[in-house]
């Protein structure tokens, strides 16, 4: 795998992109790194059999964090014989709760969609870059819990969960070092900040205030952060925050070509990295802090919705 510096120097594809590395017709980006060997190695991490669900209830984030999404409505239907039941839901937004962003979630303002997929092929029911490509194979690999929340607390700078508190690359590296873990190619990076658990415990008035302010903690935008995420060759980058990266973006963000200076277009459209957002990591983080084992087997099964932009993560960690 080339380094990010090498990607920036490419002349056969957009600078800073991973286009073509997994094939000219690739649809899943860095999820390709989750090979059969990666699954076998992850299975060897199961020692106790303890499992931790990594997704909140589908309607846990009510009101939705994004103003463009709606609250899921669960309608139960009783069949005529009075014994067999069926159900359906209204206003189901796959990215309203704990979810995976697929590769059609963001296009790059200059280069377009991942792997040069024509934007006219990205529509309802069309297969290109749809989340079904990931759902059909699933994601199985070594998860690494990086507890930024406990690290920041330990060094006297607790994360402000009510503000757009930026988490720097030094914060992340410091947490990794303090835990004594070694990162490996194909890891599913799980960044714990405590934000999601904090949010769902708030009263609705405070939740609405936070949503209106749009101030959410997350990774600080920088070329160095982008390079670190790529150079470690993670298969998935997931967190318990709204957007993985901080909102609003830092004033020094070098990604001014993107909407609001976000790294999302570079991460998704250029590098092909699937992002996990609002994952339920608090129970896993507590267990990791107790036994000081920060690696586990992670299994995630996105839905096979053809042309889906994203999916509930349907993830579980097993230790």
């Amino acid at each position: 795998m080339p380094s990010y510096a090498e990607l920036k120097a490419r002349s056969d594809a957009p600078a800073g992109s991973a286009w073509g590395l997994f094939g000219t017709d690739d649809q899943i980006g860095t999820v390709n790194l989750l090979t059969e060997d990666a699954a076998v190695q992850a299975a060897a991490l199961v020692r106790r059999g303890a499992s931790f669900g990594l997704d909140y209830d589908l309607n846990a984030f009510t009101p939705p964090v994004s103003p463009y999404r709606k609250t899921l409505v669960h309608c139960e239907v009783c069949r005529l014989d009075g014994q067999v039941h069926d159900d359906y839901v209204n206003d189901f937004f796959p990215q309203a709760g704990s979810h995976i962003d697929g590769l059609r979630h963001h296009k790059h303002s200059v280069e377009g969609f991942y792997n040069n997929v024509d934007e006219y092929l990205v529509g309802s029911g069309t297969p290109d870059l749809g989340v079904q490509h990931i759902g059909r194979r699933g994601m199985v690999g070594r998860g690494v819990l990086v507890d930024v929340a406990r690290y920041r607390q330990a060094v006297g700078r607790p994360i402000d969960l009510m503000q757009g508190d930026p988490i720097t690359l030094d914060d992340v590296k410091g947490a990794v070092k303090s835990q004594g873990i070694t990162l490996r190619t194909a890891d599913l990076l799980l960044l714990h900040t405590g934000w999601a658990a904090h949010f769902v415990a708030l009263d609705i008035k405070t939740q609405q205030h936070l949503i209106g302010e749009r101030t959410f903690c997350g990774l600080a935008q920088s070329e160095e952060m982008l390079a670190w995420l790529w150079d470690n060759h993670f298969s998935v980058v997931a967190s318990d925050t709204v957007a993985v990266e901080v909102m609003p973006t830092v004033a020094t963000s070098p990604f001014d070509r993107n909407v609001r200076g976000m790294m999302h277009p570079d991460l998704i459209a250029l590098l092909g990295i699937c992002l996990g957002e609002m994952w339920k990591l608090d129970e896993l983080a507590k267990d990791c802090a107790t036994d000081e084992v920060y690696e586990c087997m992670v299994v995630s099964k996105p839905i096979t919705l053809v042309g889906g932009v994203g999916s509930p993560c349907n993830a579980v960690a097993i230790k």
Side-chain angles (χ1 to χ4, degrees):
M1 295 284 286
S3 67
Y4 185 69
E6 290 171 321
L7 293 184
K8 291 285 285 186
R10 294 186 73 178
S11 59
D12 61 331
S17 81
W19 293 8
L21 292 187
F22 301 108
T24 56
D25 59 350
D26 177 53
Q27 300 281 313
I28 60 175
T30 53
V31 173
N32 281 288
L33 298 173
L34 292 173
T35 61
E36 293 178 356
D37 285 342
V40 171
Q41 292 169 20
L45 300 175
V46 178
R47 302 176 179 92
R48 293 159 44 208
S51 61
F52 304 86
L54 302 184
D55 38 1
Y56 284 91
D57 296 346
L58 286 174
N59 59 355
F61 295 91
T62 302
V65 176
S66 170
Y68 305 106
R69 295 166 183 156
K70 297 180 181 179
T71 300
L72 178 147
V73 179
H74 183 205
C75 307
E76 185 177 64
V77 178
C78 179
R79 292 180 185 263
L80 294 179
D81 61 12
Q83 294 182 346
V84 180
H85 292 72
D86 201 352
D87 60 359
Y88 67 95
V89 296
N90 290 335
D91 295 330
F92 174 45
F93 283 69
Q95 293 164 283
S98 308
H99 68 272
I100 278 284
D101 285 338
L103 296 186
R104 57 165 52 188
H105 177 54
H106 255 282
K107 73 172 184 177
H108 193 271
S109 59
V110 177
E111 306 298 346
F113 283 100
Y114 173 72
N115 226 14
N116 203 31
V117 169
D118 194 302
E119 67 176 298
Y120 294 105
L121 298 176
V122 180
S124 178
T126 60
D128 300 81
L129 299 182
V131 75
Q132 81 280 357
H133 295 292
I134 303 172
R136 287 169 182 162
R137 74 193 302 280
M139 300 187 296
V140 181
R142 177 190 186 233
V144 175
L145 191 287
V146 177
D147 201 336
V148 182
R150 282 180 171 79
Y151 172 75
R152 285 274 299 261
Q153 183 75 35
V155 298
R157 293 186 299 108
I159 299 173
D160 188 342
L161 300 174
M162 291 297 294
Q163 300 295 327
D165 194 347
I167 296 166
T168 68
L169 182 54
D170 285 342
D171 290 333
V172 180
K173 287 182 175 180
V176 170
K177 184 177 180 180
S178 70
Q179 295 173 193
I181 56 178
T182 300
L183 301 174
R184 303 173 189 165
T185 293
D187 283 346
L188 291 93
L189 177 66
L190 309 176
L191 294 166
H192 175 246
T193 70
W195 185 88
H198 168 78
F199 179 84
V200 298
L202 294 173
D203 61 85
I204 189 169
K205 184 177 180 179
T206 307
Q207 288 178 334
Q208 290 172 333
H209 170 77
L210 194 56
I211 292 169
E213 291 294 315
R214 311 300 296 163
T215 52
F216 308 120
C217 67
L219 299 180
Q221 294 82 10
S222 71
E223 285 277 355
E224 293 75 19
M225 182 71 77
L226 199 64
W228 186 83
L229 292 173
W230 173 262
D231 288 341
N232 279 287
H233 305 310
F234 299 119
S235 55
V236 175
V237 176
S239 80
D240 57 356
T241 61
V242 172
V244 176
E245 49 187 310
V246 67
M247 295 175 64
T249 54
V250 296
T252 56
S253 173
F255 307 101
D256 54 353
R257 63 179 179 267
N258 297 336
V259 177
R260 299 184 299 277
M262 299 283 282
M263 289 190 294
H264 261 58
D266 286 63
L267 287 165
I268 295 174
L270 292 188
L271 295 176
I273 298 176
C274 287
L275 301 179
E277 297 170 346
M278 299 189 292
W279 284 31
K280 190 176 188 295
L281 301 179
D282 51 316
E283 293 175 358
L284 176 62
K286 182 179 180 180
D287 188 82
C288 291
T290 299
D291 67 7
E292 298 185 343
V293 175
Y294 295 91
E295 60 180 359
C296 55
M297 181 182 186
V298 171
V299 179
S300 173
K301 176 58 176 70
I303 57 178
T304 50
L305 173 63
V306 174
V309 173
S311 166
C313 61
N314 300 326
V316 60
I318 312 169
K319 295 181 69 178

